[in-house]
Amino acid sequence: MRPGCRRSTQQGTSLLELTVVLAVVAILAVAGSSFWDTGATELSAAHQEIRGSLEQAFTLARARGTNVTVALGKASGEGEHLPVQLSRKLKWGKPATIPLPPDMDAPVVAATTGEAHPILTVTPRRTALASVWFLHDGREALCMRLSGHGQLQVLRWRRDLLKWTRV
């Protein structure tokens, strides 16, 4: 070693090391996101959208003194209605693999196809023309029941627990 030259020691990380670490983290994040269940999130969002739209419809019906419809998904009600857009992954009805909630009789099928009506009509007296709706993503489901007094009860089929739970 020449007199006057000092050997430097590296402190910190180089740009190359930082880039390699970020690439590994990005690959792990992409791999992990494929295992994340977005169905639960979409069902929760649909539940909040439907609840909010029903409350708004009840308020409008009472203020106007007329029935108001809530059109769910791509449905369109006659006249003035409140549209609610749902995720494409969500379907109407109860899958055959999921049992009915406790203390519930089999619902009357709305059409010969077995599809549920995606149009809800509410009255100024806080009642609705339909009282039970099912919405599912193929694995989990929501059961929304409207009482005669306009109270919405929401149950969720939890596939991990294999039972209905109150939301």
Side-chain angles (χ1 to χ4, degrees):
M1 218 190 218
R2 285 190 260 164
C5 287
R6 292 183 13 200
R7 188 171 185 190
S8 66
T9 59
Q10 180 182 4
Q11 293 183 359
T13 58
S14 70
L15 182 59
L16 179 61
E17 291 170 329
L18 183 62
T19 304
V20 169
V21 169
L22 287 176
V24 169
V25 169
I27 290 169
L28 290 174
V30 168
S33 68
S34 65
F35 294 112
W36 186 45
D37 184 15
T38 58
T41 305
E42 290 172 346
L43 279 174
S44 296
H47 164 232
Q48 294 303 322
E49 281 288 321
I50 292 169
R51 182 180 291 277
S53 295
L54 279 172
E55 285 302 319
Q56 185 179 7
F58 282 129
T59 302
L60 284 173
R62 185 173 195 110
R64 294 178 181 169
T66 61
N67 293 352
V68 175
T69 59
V70 178
L72 305 166
K74 294 183 179 179
S76 60
E78 295 179 14
E80 189 173 346
H81 64 277
L82 300 173
V84 177
Q85 190 61 40
L86 300 175
S87 168
R88 293 179 186 189
K89 295 179 182 178
L90 299 180
K91 306 285 185 244
W92 283 104
K94 184 189 76 59
T97 58
I98 296 176
L100 285 171
D103 303 325
M104 183 175 173
D105 295 331
V108 176
V109 177
T112 56
T113 61
E115 296 289 322
H117 283 298
I119 298 173
L120 315 175
T121 303
V122 300
T123 68
R125 294 191 324 236
R126 201 164 171 84
T127 60
L129 300 183
S131 60
V132 178
W133 310 276
F134 287 93
L135 188 64
H136 71 92
D137 65 357
R139 297 176 306 258
E140 293 194 356
L142 288 178
C143 173
M144 296 164 278
R145 296 193 264 191
L146 193 63
S147 73
H149 302 292
Q151 297 298 319
L152 184 67
Q153 177 192 34
V154 180
L155 301 173
R156 184 180 193 133
W157 172 255
R158 299 277 312 266
R159 67 178 175 178
D160 54 343
L161 303 174
L162 294 178
K163 70 176 193 175
W164 289 95
T165 59
R166 187 178 287 253
V167 178

